[in-house]
Amino acid sequence: MRYVNHEAVVKKMNKRLIVNGIFKAIFLAATLFALLVLGVLFYRIISQGVGYLTPEFFQNFGSRVPEKAGIKAALVGSIWLMCVVAPVSIILGVGTAIYLEEYATKNKLNNFIRMNISNLAGVPSVVFGLLGLTIFVRALALGNSVLAAGFTMSLLILPVIIVGSQEAIRAVPQDVREASYGMGATKWQTIINIVLPSAIPGIITGAILALSRAVGETAPLVVIGIPVIVHFLPDNLLSQFTALPMQIYDWAKRPQEAFQYVSSAGILVLMIFLLLMNSVAIFIRNKFQKRY
């Protein structure tokens, strides 16, 4: 220890502590600023929209009169949309993740596929809207129906579900698989009985977060021509419909000040819808999570 220069050590430590304090203050200020902006946004939305959250708001269709405007068609349409998006995207996404992680060999082609799936997760949503317009609306002649919109939104969130499911499956320890093989189980039995039950919390959490993104997207719906106001409810998958983001978008762009308050009420409904979906994801994750 006699070769240690205590004065140099103390000087360097003091310098490091000062730098640490500066960055800590910067990060704290950034966090507080973000929370302040979020609080102001919440306050503005709640103060403007809570007065319009009446039973009539949920029972009426869209209207050119702010006092008569309702969210019934948009809310029911969003539920129909999720009934298409959820099964299509989850089944295809989880199936693709199982193949890529459990069956696909490690070669250049599969690595190329994995890389492009990850890249697709960052593609702007309007691009998926153009793809849906070309394939589902025009080529398959589905029109601006629930089915066309559901397939388009499924394409939008499919890469996110695939990547999330891959991470959840990859997190299952290899020792657990080898123990299953040692007991005489086949690969498929190991996947069904060991891998998937262990990966379910991560898979479902990622899927619900992806669905939360889909329910709030507007750009793909605008591109494929979903109407902003309809005065009827969809009765099958080929019916026309509108959704919450489209209805909110229509109200927000109107010049009348009263419609700004109506759009705030619609945003509150959409936020509650998203919070419920995220709460389900947290509950599932905590209930089925396993630690190894």
Short mmCIF file of all heavy atoms in Angstrom, two decimals, residues 165 167-173 176-177 190-204 284-285 288-292:
data_model
loop_
_atom_site.label_atom_id
_atom_site.label_comp_id
_atom_site.label_asym_id
_atom_site.label_seq_id
_atom_site.Cartn_x
_atom_site.Cartn_y
_atom_site.Cartn_z
N SER A 165 -42.07 -13.20 -28.45
CA SER A 165 -42.22 -14.64 -28.19
C SER A 165 -40.87 -15.35 -28.29
O SER A 165 -40.58 -16.27 -27.52
CB SER A 165 -43.22 -15.25 -29.18
OG SER A 165 -44.49 -14.64 -29.05
N GLU A 167 -37.97 -14.08 -27.53
CA GLU A 167 -37.23 -13.78 -26.31
C GLU A 167 -37.76 -14.60 -25.14
O GLU A 167 -36.98 -15.08 -24.30
CB GLU A 167 -37.33 -12.29 -26.00
CG GLU A 167 -36.64 -11.39 -27.02
CD GLU A 167 -35.14 -11.61 -27.05
OE1 GLU A 167 -34.57 -12.01 -26.01
OE2 GLU A 167 -34.53 -11.39 -28.11
N ALA A 168 -39.09 -14.76 -25.08
CA ALA A 168 -39.67 -15.55 -23.98
C ALA A 168 -39.28 -17.02 -24.09
O ALA A 168 -38.96 -17.67 -23.08
CB ALA A 168 -41.19 -15.39 -23.99
N ILE A 169 -39.29 -17.57 -25.30
CA ILE A 169 -38.91 -18.97 -25.49
C ILE A 169 -37.42 -19.16 -25.23
O ILE A 169 -36.98 -20.14 -24.63
CB ILE A 169 -39.28 -19.43 -26.91
CG1 ILE A 169 -40.80 -19.44 -27.07
CG2 ILE A 169 -38.69 -20.80 -27.22
CD1 ILE A 169 -41.27 -19.70 -28.49
N ARG A 170 -36.62 -18.19 -25.67
CA ARG A 170 -35.17 -18.27 -25.48
C ARG A 170 -34.79 -18.20 -24.01
O ARG A 170 -33.73 -18.70 -23.60
CB ARG A 170 -34.50 -17.15 -26.27
CG ARG A 170 -33.01 -17.35 -26.53
CD ARG A 170 -32.50 -16.20 -27.38
NE ARG A 170 -33.17 -16.16 -28.66
CZ ARG A 170 -33.51 -15.05 -29.30
NH1 ARG A 170 -33.28 -13.88 -28.75
NH2 ARG A 170 -34.10 -15.12 -30.49
N ALA A 171 -35.64 -17.57 -23.19
CA ALA A 171 -35.34 -17.43 -21.76
C ALA A 171 -35.54 -18.71 -20.98
O ALA A 171 -35.09 -18.81 -19.83
CB ALA A 171 -36.21 -16.32 -21.17
N VAL A 172 -36.22 -19.71 -21.56
CA VAL A 172 -36.39 -20.99 -20.87
C VAL A 172 -35.04 -21.72 -20.86
O VAL A 172 -34.44 -21.92 -21.91
CB VAL A 172 -37.47 -21.85 -21.58
CG1 VAL A 172 -37.63 -23.19 -20.88
CG2 VAL A 172 -38.79 -21.10 -21.61
N PRO A 173 -34.55 -22.13 -19.70
CA PRO A 173 -33.22 -22.74 -19.63
C PRO A 173 -33.12 -24.02 -20.46
O PRO A 173 -34.07 -24.81 -20.53
CB PRO A 173 -33.05 -23.05 -18.13
CG PRO A 173 -33.99 -22.15 -17.44
CD PRO A 173 -35.15 -21.97 -18.36
N VAL A 176 -33.78 -27.45 -18.73
CA VAL A 176 -35.15 -27.95 -18.61
C VAL A 176 -35.52 -28.79 -19.82
O VAL A 176 -36.15 -29.85 -19.69
CB VAL A 176 -36.13 -26.75 -18.45
CG1 VAL A 176 -37.56 -27.25 -18.34
CG2 VAL A 176 -35.77 -25.94 -17.23
N ARG A 177 -35.13 -28.34 -21.00
CA ARG A 177 -35.39 -29.12 -22.21
C ARG A 177 -34.65 -30.46 -22.16
O ARG A 177 -35.22 -31.52 -22.47
CB ARG A 177 -34.94 -28.34 -23.44
CG ARG A 177 -35.72 -27.05 -23.71
CD ARG A 177 -35.14 -26.36 -24.94
NE ARG A 177 -35.89 -25.18 -25.36
CZ ARG A 177 -35.69 -23.97 -24.87
NH1 ARG A 177 -34.76 -23.78 -23.94
NH2 ARG A 177 -36.41 -22.95 -25.31
N THR A 190 -41.95 -31.78 -25.49
CA THR A 190 -41.18 -30.85 -24.67
C THR A 190 -41.64 -29.42 -24.88
O THR A 190 -41.77 -28.64 -23.92
CB THR A 190 -39.68 -30.98 -25.02
OG1 THR A 190 -39.26 -32.32 -24.77
CG2 THR A 190 -38.85 -30.02 -24.19
N ILE A 191 -41.92 -29.06 -26.14
CA ILE A 191 -42.37 -27.70 -26.42
C ILE A 191 -43.73 -27.43 -25.78
O ILE A 191 -43.94 -26.39 -25.14
CB ILE A 191 -42.43 -27.48 -27.95
CG1 ILE A 191 -41.02 -27.50 -28.55
CG2 ILE A 191 -43.12 -26.15 -28.27
CD1 ILE A 191 -41.00 -27.48 -30.05
N ILE A 192 -44.65 -28.38 -25.93
CA ILE A 192 -46.01 -28.18 -25.44
C ILE A 192 -46.07 -28.20 -23.91
O ILE A 192 -46.76 -27.38 -23.29
CB ILE A 192 -46.95 -29.26 -26.03
CG1 ILE A 192 -47.18 -29.02 -27.51
CG2 ILE A 192 -48.29 -29.27 -25.29
CD1 ILE A 192 -47.91 -27.73 -27.82
N ASN A 193 -45.37 -29.13 -23.30
CA ASN A 193 -45.51 -29.35 -21.86
C ASN A 193 -44.48 -28.62 -21.01
O ASN A 193 -44.71 -28.42 -19.81
CB ASN A 193 -45.42 -30.85 -21.55
CG ASN A 193 -46.52 -31.65 -22.21
OD1 ASN A 193 -47.68 -31.25 -22.20
ND2 ASN A 193 -46.17 -32.78 -22.80
N ILE A 194 -43.36 -28.23 -21.59
CA ILE A 194 -42.30 -27.61 -20.81
C ILE A 194 -42.02 -26.18 -21.26
O ILE A 194 -42.07 -25.25 -20.45
CB ILE A 194 -41.00 -28.45 -20.91
CG1 ILE A 194 -41.25 -29.88 -20.45
CG2 ILE A 194 -39.90 -27.79 -20.09
CD1 ILE A 194 -41.68 -30.01 -19.01
N VAL A 195 -41.73 -26.00 -22.55
CA VAL A 195 -41.28 -24.70 -23.03
C VAL A 195 -42.40 -23.66 -23.01
O VAL A 195 -42.26 -22.58 -22.42
CB VAL A 195 -40.67 -24.83 -24.44
CG1 VAL A 195 -40.29 -23.45 -24.98
CG2 VAL A 195 -39.46 -25.74 -24.42
N LEU A 196 -43.53 -23.99 -23.65
CA LEU A 196 -44.61 -23.00 -23.75
C LEU A 196 -45.19 -22.61 -22.38
O LEU A 196 -45.40 -21.41 -22.14
CB LEU A 196 -45.71 -23.53 -24.66
CG LEU A 196 -45.45 -23.40 -26.17
CD1 LEU A 196 -46.63 -23.89 -26.97
CD2 LEU A 196 -45.12 -21.97 -26.54
N PRO A 197 -45.47 -23.56 -21.46
CA PRO A 197 -45.96 -23.11 -20.15
C PRO A 197 -45.01 -22.18 -19.43
O PRO A 197 -45.44 -21.26 -18.74
CB PRO A 197 -46.14 -24.43 -19.38
CG PRO A 197 -46.37 -25.46 -20.44
CD PRO A 197 -45.52 -25.03 -21.59
N SER A 198 -43.70 -22.40 -19.61
CA SER A 198 -42.73 -21.52 -18.97
C SER A 198 -42.64 -20.16 -19.66
O SER A 198 -42.33 -19.16 -19.01
CB SER A 198 -41.35 -22.18 -18.97
OG SER A 198 -41.39 -23.44 -18.31
N ALA A 199 -42.90 -20.14 -20.96
CA ALA A 199 -42.78 -18.90 -21.73
C ALA A 199 -44.08 -18.12 -21.82
O ALA A 199 -44.08 -17.00 -22.36
CB ALA A 199 -42.27 -19.22 -23.13
N ILE A 200 -45.17 -18.67 -21.34
CA ILE A 200 -46.48 -18.01 -21.48
C ILE A 200 -46.50 -16.60 -20.91
O ILE A 200 -47.04 -15.69 -21.56
CB ILE A 200 -47.59 -18.89 -20.84
CG1 ILE A 200 -48.02 -19.96 -21.84
CG2 ILE A 200 -48.79 -18.05 -20.43
CD1 ILE A 200 -49.11 -20.88 -21.32
N PRO A 201 -45.96 -16.32 -19.72
CA PRO A 201 -46.01 -14.93 -19.22
C PRO A 201 -45.40 -13.93 -20.19
O PRO A 201 -46.00 -12.89 -20.47
CB PRO A 201 -45.23 -15.01 -17.90
CG PRO A 201 -45.36 -16.42 -17.46
CD PRO A 201 -45.35 -17.23 -18.72
N GLY A 202 -44.21 -14.23 -20.70
CA GLY A 202 -43.57 -13.31 -21.64
C GLY A 202 -44.31 -13.21 -22.95
O GLY A 202 -44.43 -12.11 -23.53
N ILE A 203 -44.83 -14.33 -23.44
CA ILE A 203 -45.55 -14.32 -24.71
C ILE A 203 -46.83 -13.50 -24.61
O ILE A 203 -47.11 -12.63 -25.45
CB ILE A 203 -45.87 -15.77 -25.15
CG1 ILE A 203 -44.58 -16.50 -25.53
CG2 ILE A 203 -46.84 -15.77 -26.33
CD1 ILE A 203 -44.79 -17.97 -25.84
N ILE A 204 -47.62 -13.76 -23.58
CA ILE A 204 -48.90 -13.05 -23.42
C ILE A 204 -48.67 -11.57 -23.13
O ILE A 204 -49.39 -10.71 -23.65
CB ILE A 204 -49.73 -13.70 -22.31
CG1 ILE A 204 -50.07 -15.15 -22.68
CG2 ILE A 204 -51.01 -12.92 -22.06
CD1 ILE A 204 -50.86 -15.29 -23.96
N ILE A 284 -51.26 -11.53 -15.79
CA ILE A 284 -50.84 -12.82 -16.34
C ILE A 284 -49.36 -13.06 -16.08
O ILE A 284 -48.95 -14.17 -15.71
CB ILE A 284 -51.16 -12.88 -17.84
CG1 ILE A 284 -52.67 -12.89 -18.06
CG2 ILE A 284 -50.53 -14.11 -18.49
CD1 ILE A 284 -53.09 -12.82 -19.51
N ARG A 285 -48.55 -12.03 -16.25
CA ARG A 285 -47.12 -12.19 -16.02
C ARG A 285 -46.82 -12.56 -14.58
O ARG A 285 -46.02 -13.45 -14.31
CB ARG A 285 -46.40 -10.89 -16.39
CG ARG A 285 -44.89 -10.96 -16.24
CD ARG A 285 -44.27 -9.61 -16.45
NE ARG A 285 -44.73 -8.67 -15.43
CZ ARG A 285 -44.60 -7.35 -15.53
NH1 ARG A 285 -44.05 -6.82 -16.61
NH2 ARG A 285 -45.03 -6.57 -14.57
N PHE A 288 -48.28 -16.36 -13.70
CA PHE A 288 -47.68 -17.57 -14.31
C PHE A 288 -46.17 -17.52 -14.38
O PHE A 288 -45.57 -18.44 -14.93
CB PHE A 288 -48.25 -17.76 -15.72
CG PHE A 288 -49.72 -18.03 -15.75
CD1 PHE A 288 -50.63 -17.01 -16.03
CD2 PHE A 288 -50.22 -19.30 -15.48
CE1 PHE A 288 -51.98 -17.27 -16.06
CE2 PHE A 288 -51.57 -19.56 -15.52
CZ PHE A 288 -52.46 -18.54 -15.79
N GLN A 289 -45.57 -16.47 -13.85
CA GLN A 289 -44.12 -16.36 -13.96
C GLN A 289 -43.42 -17.43 -13.12
O GLN A 289 -43.80 -17.69 -11.98
CB GLN A 289 -43.66 -14.97 -13.50
CG GLN A 289 -42.20 -14.71 -13.77
CD GLN A 289 -41.83 -13.27 -13.50
OE1 GLN A 289 -42.57 -12.55 -12.85
NE2 GLN A 289 -40.69 -12.82 -14.00
N LYS A 290 -42.42 -18.06 -13.71
CA LYS A 290 -41.62 -19.08 -13.03
C LYS A 290 -40.17 -18.61 -12.97
O LYS A 290 -39.66 -18.01 -13.90
CB LYS A 290 -41.69 -20.43 -13.77
CG LYS A 290 -43.06 -21.06 -13.76
CD LYS A 290 -43.02 -22.42 -14.46
CE LYS A 290 -44.40 -23.08 -14.44
NZ LYS A 290 -44.38 -24.41 -15.09
N ARG A 291 -39.53 -18.93 -11.87
CA ARG A 291 -38.12 -18.57 -11.70
C ARG A 291 -37.29 -19.85 -11.65
O ARG A 291 -37.65 -20.82 -10.99
CB ARG A 291 -37.92 -17.77 -10.40
CG ARG A 291 -38.67 -16.45 -10.40
CD ARG A 291 -38.36 -15.65 -9.15
NE ARG A 291 -39.11 -14.40 -9.12
CZ ARG A 291 -38.70 -13.28 -9.68
NH1 ARG A 291 -37.55 -13.26 -10.32
NH2 ARG A 291 -39.43 -12.19 -9.61
N TYR A 292 -36.19 -19.84 -12.36
CA TYR A 292 -35.32 -21.00 -12.41
C TYR A 292 -34.00 -20.66 -11.72
O TYR A 292 -33.53 -19.55 -11.78
CB TYR A 292 -35.05 -21.40 -13.87
CG TYR A 292 -36.28 -21.89 -14.59
CD1 TYR A 292 -37.01 -21.03 -15.38
CD2 TYR A 292 -36.70 -23.21 -14.45
CE1 TYR A 292 -38.13 -21.48 -16.05
CE2 TYR A 292 -37.82 -23.66 -15.11
CZ TYR A 292 -38.53 -22.80 -15.91
OH TYR A 292 -39.66 -23.25 -16.58
#
